[in-house]
Amino acid sequence: GQQLNQSPQSMFIQEGEDVSMNCTSSSIFNTWLWYKQDPGEGPVLLIALYKAGELTSNGRLTAQFGITRKDSFLNISASIPSDVGIYFCAGGNYGGSQGNLIFGKGTKLSVKP
Amino acid sequence: KAGVTQTPRYLIKTRGQQVTLSCSPISGHRSVSWYQQTPGQGLQFLFEYFSETQRNKGNFPGRFSGRQFSNSRSEMNVSTLELGDSALYLCASSLSGVADTGELFFGEGSRLTVL
Protein backbone atom coordinates (compact mmCIF):
# COMPACT_ATOMS: atom_id res chain seq x y z
CA GLY A 1 0.00 0.00 0.00
CA GLN A 2 0.90 3.64 -0.05
CA GLN A 3 3.48 4.77 2.45
CA LEU A 4 4.96 8.07 3.45
CA ASN A 5 8.55 8.34 4.57
CA GLN A 6 8.86 11.12 7.10
CA SER A 7 12.23 12.27 8.40
CA PRO A 8 13.83 12.78 10.72
CA GLN A 9 12.12 10.52 13.27
CA SER A 10 13.14 12.81 16.11
CA MET A 11 14.98 16.05 16.66
CA PHE A 12 16.54 17.65 19.73
CA ILE A 13 17.20 21.32 19.21
CA GLN A 14 17.99 24.47 21.17
CA GLU A 15 15.37 27.16 21.55
CA GLY A 16 15.76 29.72 18.79
CA GLU A 17 17.03 27.27 16.18
CA ASP A 18 15.26 26.62 12.90
CA VAL A 19 13.80 23.18 12.18
CA SER A 20 13.24 21.37 8.93
CA MET A 21 11.42 18.09 8.33
CA ASN A 22 10.16 16.40 5.19
CA CYS A 23 7.97 13.71 3.77
CA THR A 24 8.38 11.68 0.60
CA SER A 25 6.14 9.24 -1.16
CA SER A 26 6.29 6.84 -4.06
CA SER A 27 2.77 7.99 -5.00
CA ILE A 28 1.46 11.30 -6.26
CA PHE A 29 -0.87 13.25 -4.02
CA ASN A 30 -3.19 16.17 -4.71
CA THR A 31 -3.07 17.28 -1.11
CA TRP A 32 -0.35 17.56 1.49
CA LEU A 33 -1.12 18.49 5.07
CA TRP A 34 0.90 18.96 8.21
CA TYR A 35 -0.51 18.21 11.66
CA LYS A 36 0.93 18.63 15.14
CA GLN A 37 0.08 16.45 18.10
CA ASP A 38 0.70 17.60 21.66
CA PRO A 39 0.99 14.98 24.41
CA GLY A 40 -2.43 13.61 25.39
CA GLU A 41 -4.23 15.35 22.57
CA GLY A 42 -5.34 14.66 19.04
CA PRO A 43 -3.48 16.06 16.02
CA VAL A 44 -4.23 19.63 15.01
CA LEU A 45 -3.99 20.88 11.44
CA LEU A 46 -1.14 23.36 10.89
CA ILE A 47 -0.98 23.86 7.14
CA ALA A 48 -2.84 22.48 4.12
CA LEU A 49 -1.36 22.52 0.60
CA TYR A 50 -3.40 21.87 -2.53
CA LYS A 51 -1.19 22.83 -5.46
CA ALA A 52 2.18 21.55 -6.63
CA GLY A 53 4.87 24.09 -5.90
CA GLU A 54 2.70 25.91 -3.38
CA LEU A 55 4.53 27.56 -0.49
CA THR A 56 2.36 28.48 2.50
CA SER A 57 3.17 30.08 5.83
CA ASN A 58 1.39 30.06 9.15
CA GLY A 59 3.28 32.29 11.55
CA ARG A 60 6.73 30.79 12.06
CA LEU A 61 5.77 27.70 10.06
CA THR A 62 6.33 27.35 6.32
CA ALA A 63 5.40 24.33 4.25
CA GLN A 64 5.86 23.52 0.58
CA PHE A 65 4.10 21.12 -1.75
CA GLY A 66 6.81 19.53 -3.88
CA ILE A 67 6.73 20.11 -7.61
CA THR A 68 6.70 16.37 -8.31
CA ARG A 69 3.68 16.03 -5.97
CA LYS A 70 5.57 13.26 -4.18
CA ASP A 71 7.05 15.28 -1.35
CA SER A 72 6.52 18.10 1.09
CA PHE A 73 8.57 19.84 3.74
CA LEU A 74 7.84 21.83 6.86
CA ASN A 75 10.12 24.48 8.33
CA ILE A 76 9.78 26.04 11.76
CA SER A 77 11.78 29.20 12.35
CA ALA A 78 13.08 30.42 15.70
CA SER A 79 11.73 27.48 17.67
CA ILE A 80 10.20 27.99 21.11
CA PRO A 81 9.43 25.47 23.89
CA SER A 82 5.75 25.17 22.92
CA ASP A 83 6.81 23.80 19.53
CA VAL A 84 7.47 20.50 21.32
CA GLY A 85 5.30 17.70 20.00
CA ILE A 86 4.96 15.23 17.16
CA TYR A 87 4.58 16.58 13.65
CA PHE A 88 2.80 14.45 11.06
CA CYS A 89 2.67 14.88 7.34
CA ALA A 90 -0.33 13.50 5.48
CA GLY A 91 -0.92 12.97 1.80
CA GLY A 92 -4.23 12.46 0.10
CA ASN A 93 -6.15 12.63 -3.12
CA TYR A 94 -9.44 14.44 -2.96
CA GLY A 95 -12.44 14.34 -5.17
CA GLY A 96 -15.27 11.89 -5.26
CA SER A 97 -15.25 8.89 -3.06
CA GLN A 98 -11.57 8.20 -3.07
CA GLY A 99 -10.13 7.46 0.20
CA ASN A 100 -8.25 8.23 3.11
CA LEU A 101 -5.33 10.33 4.10
CA ILE A 102 -2.02 8.54 4.46
CA PHE A 103 -0.03 9.73 7.46
CA GLY A 104 3.70 9.68 7.96
CA LYS A 105 5.00 8.17 11.19
CA GLY A 106 5.82 11.53 12.66
CA THR A 107 8.77 13.66 13.67
CA LYS A 108 9.12 14.08 17.43
CA LEU A 109 10.48 17.52 18.24
CA SER A 110 12.15 18.35 21.54
CA VAL A 111 13.23 21.91 22.30
CA LYS A 112 15.73 22.76 25.01
CA PRO A 113 15.10 26.18 26.59
CA LYS B 1 -17.88 25.92 18.82
CA ALA B 2 -17.50 22.62 20.66
CA GLY B 3 -14.79 20.34 19.34
CA VAL B 4 -14.83 16.63 18.63
CA THR B 5 -15.72 14.68 21.76
CA GLN B 6 -14.64 11.11 22.33
CA THR B 7 -15.71 8.83 25.13
CA PRO B 8 -14.42 7.12 27.10
CA ARG B 9 -10.96 8.69 27.30
CA TYR B 10 -9.36 5.65 28.89
CA LEU B 11 -10.40 2.06 29.22
CA ILE B 12 -8.90 -1.29 30.10
CA LYS B 13 -10.21 -4.55 28.72
CA THR B 14 -9.07 -8.16 28.67
CA ARG B 15 -8.44 -10.35 25.66
CA GLY B 16 -11.59 -11.70 24.09
CA GLN B 17 -13.82 -8.89 25.29
CA GLN B 18 -15.38 -6.32 23.05
CA VAL B 19 -15.35 -2.54 23.26
CA THR B 20 -17.46 0.32 21.90
CA LEU B 21 -16.04 3.81 21.50
CA SER B 22 -18.11 6.90 20.85
CA CYS B 23 -17.44 10.09 18.91
CA SER B 24 -19.48 13.27 18.64
CA PRO B 25 -18.31 15.42 15.72
CA ILE B 26 -18.27 19.17 15.49
CA SER B 27 -21.77 20.49 14.94
CA GLY B 28 -22.55 20.59 11.23
CA HIS B 29 -19.81 18.14 10.26
CA ARG B 30 -21.19 15.15 8.40
CA SER B 31 -18.07 13.04 8.04
CA VAL B 32 -16.45 11.04 10.81
CA SER B 33 -13.22 9.10 10.36
CA TRP B 34 -11.54 6.74 12.77
CA TYR B 35 -7.81 6.16 13.14
CA GLN B 36 -5.73 3.79 15.23
CA GLN B 37 -2.51 5.25 16.59
CA THR B 38 0.30 3.07 17.90
CA PRO B 39 3.98 3.91 18.48
CA GLY B 40 5.13 1.39 15.87
CA GLN B 41 2.60 1.98 13.10
CA GLY B 42 1.66 5.61 13.54
CA LEU B 43 -1.80 6.72 12.43
CA GLN B 44 -3.66 4.02 10.55
CA PHE B 45 -7.00 4.72 8.87
CA LEU B 46 -9.85 2.48 10.00
CA PHE B 47 -12.95 3.81 8.23
CA GLU B 48 -14.93 6.89 7.31
CA TYR B 49 -18.64 7.46 7.67
CA PHE B 50 -20.62 10.09 5.82
CA SER B 51 -24.37 10.53 6.13
CA GLU B 52 -24.70 7.22 8.00
CA THR B 53 -22.90 5.26 5.29
CA GLN B 54 -19.43 3.80 5.41
CA ARG B 55 -17.69 5.56 2.56
CA ASN B 56 -14.16 4.27 2.92
CA LYS B 57 -12.45 1.49 4.81
CA GLY B 58 -8.87 0.84 5.77
CA ASN B 59 -7.06 -2.45 5.93
CA PHE B 60 -8.28 -3.79 9.27
CA PRO B 61 -9.93 -7.12 10.07
CA GLY B 62 -13.68 -7.49 10.35
CA ARG B 63 -13.44 -7.37 14.14
CA PHE B 64 -13.31 -3.60 13.70
CA SER B 65 -16.65 -2.09 12.77
CA GLY B 66 -18.43 1.18 13.05
CA ARG B 67 -21.61 3.03 12.42
CA GLN B 68 -22.93 6.55 12.20
CA PHE B 69 -26.24 7.84 13.43
CA SER B 70 -28.56 10.40 11.89
CA ASN B 71 -27.12 13.12 14.14
CA SER B 72 -23.63 12.31 12.76
CA ARG B 73 -22.44 10.79 16.02
CA SER B 74 -20.39 7.69 15.41
CA GLU B 75 -19.40 4.58 17.28
CA MET B 76 -16.72 2.04 16.58
CA ASN B 77 -16.67 -1.46 17.95
CA VAL B 78 -13.86 -3.92 18.31
CA SER B 79 -14.84 -7.50 19.06
CA THR B 80 -12.71 -10.35 20.39
CA LEU B 81 -10.00 -8.01 21.58
CA GLU B 82 -6.36 -8.93 21.10
CA LEU B 83 -3.30 -7.57 22.88
CA GLY B 84 -2.27 -5.82 19.67
CA ASP B 85 -5.46 -3.76 19.71
CA SER B 86 -3.99 -1.66 22.52
CA ALA B 87 -3.77 1.79 21.00
CA LEU B 88 -5.06 5.32 20.96
CA TYR B 89 -8.21 5.45 18.84
CA LEU B 90 -8.76 8.85 17.29
CA CYS B 91 -11.93 10.16 15.78
CA ALA B 92 -11.85 13.05 13.32
CA SER B 93 -14.67 15.02 11.81
CA SER B 94 -14.88 17.18 8.73
CA LEU B 95 -17.56 19.06 6.87
CA SER B 96 -17.77 16.93 3.79
CA GLY B 97 -15.29 14.14 4.09
CA VAL B 98 -11.67 13.22 4.38
CA ALA B 99 -11.53 12.65 0.65
CA ASP B 100 -12.55 16.23 -0.06
CA THR B 101 -9.94 18.40 1.61
CA GLY B 102 -8.06 16.35 4.18
CA GLU B 103 -8.78 19.00 6.77
CA LEU B 104 -9.69 16.92 9.76
CA PHE B 105 -10.54 17.97 13.27
CA PHE B 106 -9.44 15.34 15.75
CA GLY B 107 -10.74 14.47 19.16
CA GLU B 108 -8.43 13.72 22.08
CA GLY B 109 -8.77 10.00 21.55
CA SER B 110 -9.78 6.95 23.52
CA ARG B 111 -6.82 5.07 24.93
CA LEU B 112 -7.55 1.35 24.99
CA THR B 113 -5.37 -1.07 26.92
CA VAL B 114 -5.94 -4.78 26.39
CA LEU B 115 -4.56 -7.08 29.08
Side-chain angles (χ1 to χ4, degrees):
Chain A
Q2 294 175 311
Q3 284 191 341
L4 294 186
N5 297 309
Q6 186 172 350
S7 64
Q9 271 190 313
S10 61
M11 303 181 75
F12 296 85
I13 61 167
Q14 200 76 34
E15 182 177 359
E17 289 183 354
D18 296 344
V19 172
S20 185
M21 58 191 80
N22 69 79
C23 234
T24 60
S25 169
S26 57
S27 304
I28 289 173
F29 291 115
N30 286 337
T31 304
W32 281 97
L33 306 106
W34 286 91
Y35 287 83
K36 181 194 176 198
Q37 186 174 27
D38 291 328
E41 313 230 341
V44 172
L45 180 65
L46 298 173
I47 293 179
L49 303 155
Y50 298 108
K51 190 176 174 183
E54 181 181 358
L55 186 73
T56 298
S57 293
N58 178 7
R60 294 176 297 104
L61 277 60
T62 301
Q64 183 157 29
F65 190 142
I67 204 78
T68 64
R69 294 199 282 159
K70 292 184 178 181
D71 61 345
S72 178
F73 73 76
L74 175 71
N75 285 342
I76 305 173
S77 63
S79 58
I80 58 178
S82 62
D83 291 334
V84 164
I86 304 177
Y87 291 79
F88 292 97
C89 62
N93 289 305
Y94 64 91
S97 63
Q98 188 172 3
N100 41 305
L101 283 179
I102 309 295
F103 281 84
K105 295 198 173 177
T107 295
K108 187 174 181 180
L109 179 63
S110 301
V111 179
K112 286 190 290 187
Chain B
K1 197 175 192 182
V4 177
T5 305
Q6 289 188 246
T7 56
R9 288 291 313 278
Y10 303 91
L11 65 168
I12 300 173
K13 294 284 188 178
T14 56
R15 277 182 298 174
Q17 287 187 311
Q18 71 152 13
V19 66
T20 299
L21 308 177
S22 179
C23 173
S24 293
I26 291 172
S27 177
H29 283 193
R30 296 169 63 192
S31 167
V32 173
S33 301
W34 289 89
Y35 288 84
Q36 181 195 65
Q37 185 176 24
T38 57
Q41 296 300 317
L43 280 153
Q44 302 281 306
F45 174 73
L46 282 155
F47 26 65
E48 181 207 0
Y49 286 87
F50 181 81
S51 293
E52 302 178 66
T53 301
Q54 186 180 87
R55 190 156 71 168
N56 292 294
K57 189 177 190 304
N59 193 24
F60 277 81
R63 299 185 297 107
F64 292 81
S65 62
R67 58 178 176 168
Q68 187 180 33
F69 303 95
S70 58
N71 62 358
S72 293
R73 190 177 71 85
S74 177
E75 288 182 347
M76 69 161 281
N77 184 77
V78 188
S79 62
T80 320
L81 284 165
E82 301 176 359
L83 294 178
D85 296 334
S86 295
L88 180 67
Y89 290 88
L90 290 161
C91 164
S93 77
S94 64
L95 262 174
S96 54
V98 68
D100 291 340
T101 66
E103 295 184 19
L104 302 176
F105 296 83
F106 284 88
E108 292 178 315
S110 293
R111 183 163 296 281
L112 170 66
T113 301
V114 182
L115 302 176

